């Protein structure tokens, strides 16, 4: 039987996962803006539709409003965020300080990632930091929740410092669905599990054969005992954009039959929504899969349509 999250506050996502109901999260890229109203405009289509909304942190190493600020704006407007934190841009002082700030703001969910190389973004001369690896930051965040402490490396002080109140968030990490058990894949996921990750959100995968095999691997290896897995999906807009994602985004899996459906469709956007619905419904019946993480960066309004038309029990 799956262990429940060690989490006492009211989090839509934690509540959904703990009750073994199919969870649905979505994702937004913060605006290139300093106006809070621009954040609300982006998230309004998803409000009251998904359990929580990921807020990317400098996606593809490009400048946007910070994930933490965007998440705080959402939080005060009663829209539950999943704040993303990458290890690319900040040293451990700043990263741990941000964890404390996230706790103080009452933000309940986070996704910790390594982050893209700055050379790929709009500030290619920016200096990468990578002071901590993602699993090291996951461990620190988990320690704040379970022990109410943060680490200290100062030889003149204790190895740990107590904080006045235990943090109260759940911690996510990333993975890529696979049907091939390799040591590299298993070791990477195991270190995230051992560091204290509570849930996993995966890269986009539209290959149901891989997803079914992946779920079996997760169960057999014991990863689903204490982690919840949400598979990356979302309405595809066209065969051109789908082909570009498959060929240019690391880890994205879109089989040829899906590309053919989009290519032959009279209305590719409608077909993309239909594919998303079909796959959500199928995944909701697969043991080991706890939900989906829907991504449609240039067509966010299609996500509520797909959710509303999917035959999935969504108890409040």
């Amino acid at each position: 039987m799956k262990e429940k999250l060690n989490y006492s506050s009211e989090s839509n996502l934690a509540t959904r996962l703990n009750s073994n109901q199919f969870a649905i999260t979505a994702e937004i890229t913060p605006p290139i803006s300093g106006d809070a109203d621009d954040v609300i405009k982006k998230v309004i289509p998803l409000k009251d539709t998904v359990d929580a909304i990921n807020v990317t942190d400098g996606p593809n190493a490009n400048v946007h409003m910070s994930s933490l600020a965007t998440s705080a704006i959402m939080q005060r407007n009663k829209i539950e965020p999943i704040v993303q934190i990458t290890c690319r841009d900040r040293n451990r002082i700043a990263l741990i300080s941000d964890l404390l700030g996230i706790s103080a703001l009452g933000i309940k969910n986070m996704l910790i990632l390594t982050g893209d190389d700055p050379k790929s973004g709009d500030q290619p001369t920016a200096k990468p930091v990578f002071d901590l690896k993602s699993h090291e930051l996951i461990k620190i965040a988990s320690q704040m929740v379970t022990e109410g402490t943060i680490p200290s490396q100062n030889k003149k002080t204790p190895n740990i410092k107590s904080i006045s109140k235990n943090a109260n968030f759940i911690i996510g990490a990333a993975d890529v669905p696979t049907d091939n058990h390799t040591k590299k894949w298993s070791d990477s996921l195991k270190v995230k599990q051992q560091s204290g990750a509570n849930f996993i959100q995966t890269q986009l995968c539209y290959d149901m054969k891989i997803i079914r095999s992946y779920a079996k691997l997760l169960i057999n290896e014991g990863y689903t005992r204490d982690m919840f897995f949400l598979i990356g999906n979302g309405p595809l807009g066209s065969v051109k954009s789908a082909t570009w994602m498959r060929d240019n985004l690391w880890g994205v899996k879109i089989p040829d039959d899906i590309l053919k459906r989009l290519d032959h469709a009279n209305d590719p956007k409608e077909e993309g929504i239909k594919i998303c619905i079909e796959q959500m419904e199928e995944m909701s019946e697969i043991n080991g899969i706890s939900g989906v993480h829907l991504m449609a960066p240039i067509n966010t309004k299609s996500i509520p349509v797909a959710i509303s038309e999917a035959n999935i029990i969504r108890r409040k």
Side-chain angles (χ1 to χ4, degrees):
M1 185 175 179
K2 184 184 286 292
E3 296 178 8
K4 290 193 173 184
L5 297 173
N6 180 22
Y7 188 70
S8 58
S9 289
E10 295 179 359
S11 160
N12 293 332
L13 181 57
T15 298
R16 183 77 66 182
L17 294 172
N18 274 335
S19 60
N20 293 318
Q21 297 180 58
F22 195 70
I24 301 179
T25 58
E27 183 170 291
I28 66 155
T29 298
I32 305 174
S33 168
D35 189 340
D37 288 342
D38 290 335
V39 173
I40 301 305
K41 289 175 185 176
K42 293 205 78 166
V43 298
I44 278 297
L46 299 170
K47 181 176 169 59
D48 301 324
T49 301
V50 297
D51 299 310
I53 302 171
N54 281 44
V55 183
T56 57
D57 183 14
N60 302 314
N62 292 318
V63 172
H64 294 265
M65 185 186 295
S66 77
S67 177
L68 182 50
T70 303
S71 297
I73 293 166
M74 291 167 56
Q75 181 81 355
R76 75 187 186 200
N77 284 277
K78 303 187 185 305
I79 303 169
E80 185 166 311
I82 303 172
V83 58
Q84 287 190 9
I85 309 172
T86 66
C87 297
R88 174 192 59 226
D89 304 318
R90 301 180 282 285
N91 66 19
R92 67 190 64 206
I93 298 171
L95 289 169
I96 298 171
S97 297
D98 280 349
L99 294 181
L100 292 170
I102 289 165
S103 178
L105 288 166
I107 294 171
K108 306 172 182 70
N109 319 296
M110 67 175 61
L111 182 75
I112 294 176
L113 305 167
T114 299
D116 301 305
D117 190 325
K119 291 179 183 177
S120 66
D122 60 6
Q123 307 292 325
T125 60
K127 293 181 179 180
V129 182
F130 299 117
D131 190 22
L132 291 173
K133 296 180 179 178
S134 61
H135 70 86
E136 292 173 324
L137 188 57
I138 289 170
K139 186 174 182 179
I140 293 170
S142 179
Q143 185 178 323
M144 290 171 62
V145 174
T146 60
E147 302 173 15
T149 60
I150 57 174
S152 171
Q153 295 182 325
N154 190 330
K155 295 180 180 179
K156 297 180 181 180
T157 61
N159 291 331
I160 58 172
K161 292 182 179 180
S162 295
I163 54 179
S164 60
K165 180 182 179 182
N166 286 38
N168 223 356
F169 34 63
I170 61 171
I171 306 157
D175 194 29
V176 175
T178 181
D179 57 358
N180 180 29
H181 184 289
T182 64
K183 187 176 187 300
K184 182 178 180 181
W185 166 76
S186 184
D187 288 351
S188 175
L189 198 51
K190 187 174 294 181
V191 74
K192 293 169 185 175
Q193 180 186 40
Q194 293 173 344
S195 297
N198 304 121
F199 68 95
I200 300 291
Q201 291 175 319
T202 79
Q203 180 57 287
L204 290 165
C205 184
Y206 295 86
D207 191 321
M208 292 307 305
K209 290 183 180 179
I210 291 178
I211 291 170
R212 286 190 290 269
S213 296
Y214 179 63
K216 289 180 181 178
L217 280 175
L218 295 174
I219 293 169
N220 292 340
E221 294 297 310
Y223 294 125
T224 59
R225 187 187 73 252
D226 53 5
M227 292 193 295
F228 298 87
F229 287 80
L230 289 77
I231 306 298
N233 204 278
L236 295 165
S238 68
V239 67
K240 182 179 179 180
S241 63
T243 302
W244 184 91
M245 288 191 293
R246 185 184 69 171
D247 294 344
N248 292 278
L249 299 181
W250 182 81
V252 171
K253 295 180 174 67
I254 306 176
D256 288 340
D257 65 305
I258 295 297
L259 295 178
K260 287 179 182 177
R261 282 184 61 175
L262 291 169
D263 193 30
H264 296 158
N266 292 328
D267 187 335
K269 287 186 178 180
E270 287 296 324
E271 191 68 18
I273 292 172
K274 185 177 179 182
I275 292 167
C276 180
I277 291 168
E278 293 171 2
Q279 296 198 342
M280 274 198 293
E281 291 176 343
E282 187 170 350
M283 283 188 279
S284 71
E285 301 294 329
I286 298 176
N287 289 334
I289 303 303
S290 296
V292 290
H293 177 52
L294 301 179
M295 294 172 272
I298 60 174
N299 192 23
T300 303
K301 292 181 180 179
S302 64
I303 290 177
V305 176
I307 294 171
S308 66
E309 295 182 9
N311 186 21
I312 298 170
I313 298 173
R314 296 280 290 155
R315 295 185 296 272
K316 294 293 185 181

